[in-house]
Amino acid sequence: MSFNFDIAESTEDDSRRSLTPKEDVQWVPLQTHPVFTTTADGGGTAATASASAGGVRNLLAWDGASRLYFWDSNQQCLHRISIRLGEPDPTSVVAASPSKVLRADKELNFVVNKISINRNGSALLLAGSDDLCVMYLYGRSSTKENAIVCRTVSIGSQVYSSDSSAIRILQVSWHPYSDTHVGILSSDSVFRLFDLSSGVVQPEQEYYLQPVEPGRSRNAASICPVDFSFGGDHLWDRFSVFVLFSDGSVYILCPVVPFGSVYKWESILEIYSDAHTFGLKSAKSAAVNNSNMAISWLEATFPEVAQEATDRENFSTIKAHSHALFDASLALQGPLRKVCHGGEDEDLAVRGAECEGRAVSFLYNLVSKDSILVTAWSGGQLQIDALADEIQPVWITGSAPRLRVDSFDHIRGIAMICESISAEHSIVKLDQPLDNTVWLGHPPPLLRLAIVDLALPRKTEGSSLITMLADPLMPERIYSLHEGGVDSIVLHFLPFTSQINGKDENIKTPSVHPVLSTCLEETSSSSPSPLSGFASLSDSFGYSWVVVVTSTQECVVLEMKTWNLLLPIQIDKEKPIDMEQQKEKDTPDIISKELLSGPKSVLAPQASPNLRSISADSIEGRSALHQYFKLFHENYVEYAHKVYFELKHHGPQLKRIIDDQHARLDEAQQKISRVEAKQPMLDERIDRVVQRHNSLEQRLQRLRRLPGAHKKPLSRAEREFKSELDQFTGVELDALRSSIDTLGARLKKYTKSSKDNLTTRRRKIPGRNHVQDDQISQLKSSLEKLSLLNSESTKKVELVESAIKTVESSRNKTILS
């Protein structure tokens, strides 16, 4: 039975009621749906232009059940498509036509780059680089021009969407344990958490990220955030936020809990008992202090934990209360360093040696007991790591947060500066004892699993942008979206999961499979078609699909293999393959082996010595002849009957085999005749190729005589210096410009607010104007210093380039002379 859902126009109770459609619904394959076929000819020009400007976009979202949402950039509307998985056959996906059209009740003055739906399917995010809106799919709505108009509101309009603001939205995501909380990471190095149920203008929680101390930054890329991801359902990971910076360093914020979010009772009890068992009983005072702060935070955030002995059976889920420590702020744990063997370079503990460019995206993926961290680089590499230890919460005492309370003294908002711990952490070794790491405030180390090179085409300008998504059905598989298409990466080794399953095996490299390629030719002139949407679908029977939408709104549906994908092919190398046995197995039995072996040899009966003298007419002769005839009849005549029956029975089969052989013979003769006809043309082409080869050989010899062919390769020091220059020009200048724009936006905003309230503050507080003037002067001086640093860095780069050119010209002159 099929249902077609509509949205009511009056109240929220009537909005989820299934109504009878006014028009007939047709079920068509998803890839041929009118939403994707009507605009595939020439309606994607605007989408292509916006995609090239904003990188990889994702305008497709699935609610996890039976509805697929697609944002149409040309029509500025949202299509809601009802789908059926596995119908009419188990490997197909059909969709209802026509689809429902949803429009916002306000004009969107920004380009939507990403849409995302919450867990219960009631709200959908419309995110751009400079603005963010949420569209409520249910509740009060109206119909207009055969479209459903939904209530749409802006999130953080004072911070992101103001005209004078230069703050860009880097990443936005729904919190996995709340249907109303949205996390936003912006270019001003602030992570904000908004509660849409209480207010969309002011954030509920603000975390100002300060990865290095002021004035001690070695490069500008280390202070520019790129991406973030929430943790998974594992111990303290569910309270963690992972932040990636442009230089590839990863930091952790823990604990970050939305007010009113719901968690499992067993999960909270597990980390509560862990803090008591491994923290309070530790012999080190730092571990005891950290575990005491964690226990007090758990008891205040989840008050039911204190009375777990009496009311334990009454809880299945538990809700988080608003709480914050009054004398401590969260520490920015990191940067996370990998577990090193003896003698490894310390500089490679954060960044892989094979990674090129800058970090562009980040993915946290929980696979059984393993927390997998994947970092994508602009050079087309994926750095795959696993947490080698558990995450613990860390606070910095003495740094009080800023709280916002209501009239009942309930906390409604918090803001704090999250600094990295100034003490330098030594690189974690493999032979380090467990007592040196548990509850001591050290960030968890990383175990490097692999570095995957996607072999993306080199770009002369800019860098490759990569977006990663995890498969909801098989978490070992990761999808990588880039301008060249979609790739699938499958992890075959998980350190903790393998130990739990009792497997003692070596590290296996991940397998990479191309899912979809948008490059038609492998030439430098061919430009790939960017993607506009991607979604991974799965049903309860274990079938999985991927839906890809191109910039021209062409839809591609592919079935993905899930069963036995992680099992390697088992080949017994010790047992040789007998070709005779294989041939006998492959050859069908036309005539039984018993008949081919012939009749059974029968021993003649023992005869008397005077048998030859006995006449055939006598009684003894007749008896002997009768006995021999009986033996002949029992063996040879019956064998002849069996042969006759067998040949008569297999006659048609033999005729079919002979006809098939004749047909194959005729086909082979026709192919031979065609080859003979093409032989002169092939000989002519071979002659032309040989001539071309000889001409290229001569040209190569002439090129080898040129002075540039004898150019010496760069030395190791020169290569290192060149890599530093490339890193500086590709990453540092962009980071400095972003920092300058952010500081300029803050300065404009601060001066505007100070000018508006200057007269009022002079009347009320006559003595604090010099404080504001000092802050403004500090901001101006810092802005001037950054601009001077940028100009000096540009001059240094130009000087280095001119020096390299002069050295190369002098070398060429020396060679010519």
Side-chain angles (χ1 to χ4, degrees), residues 666-686:
D666 295 338
E667 184 180 357
Q669 290 177 352
Q670 292 176 4
K671 289 182 178 179
I672 291 173
S673 62
R674 287 197 296 268
V675 169
E676 291 176 352
K678 292 180 180 179
Q679 184 65 31
M681 184 175 62
L682 291 175
D683 294 337
E684 184 180 356
R685 293 180 63 182
I686 290 173

Side-chain angles (χ1 to χ4, degrees), residues 590-592 595 637-652:
I590 299 175
I591 299 177
S592 62
L595 297 181
V637 175
E638 290 183 1
Y639 173 76
H641 282 290
K642 290 181 180 179
V643 171
Y644 174 76
F645 177 78
E646 196 80 17
L647 293 177
K648 184 179 179 181
H649 178 70
H650 291 287

Side-chain angles (χ1 to χ4, degrees), residues 732-800:
E732 298 297 325
L733 293 179
D734 295 337
L736 286 172
R737 293 190 185 97
S738 177
S739 301
I740 291 172
D741 293 339
T742 304
L743 285 175
R746 287 185 180 179
L747 181 61
K748 289 180 182 179
K749 184 178 180 181
Y750 188 81
T751 52
K752 183 179 179 180
S753 60
S754 61
K755 287 179 181 179
D756 295 338
N757 301 329
L758 185 60
T759 306
T760 307
R761 290 183 179 179
R762 281 180 178 176
R763 295 173 187 170
K764 294 184 179 179
I765 311 174
R768 292 192 178 180
N769 291 329
H770 64 280
V771 179
Q772 297 178 359
D773 296 337
D774 293 340
Q775 292 178 354
I776 294 173
S777 62
Q778 288 178 4
L779 287 174
K780 288 182 178 180
S781 63
S782 61
L783 184 61
E784 292 175 356
K785 288 180 181 179
L786 281 175
S787 61
L788 288 175
L789 179 61
N790 190 11
S791 60
E792 290 177 0
S793 301
T794 307
K795 290 179 181 178
K796 289 180 181 179
V797 172
E798 293 176 354
L799 289 175
V800 171

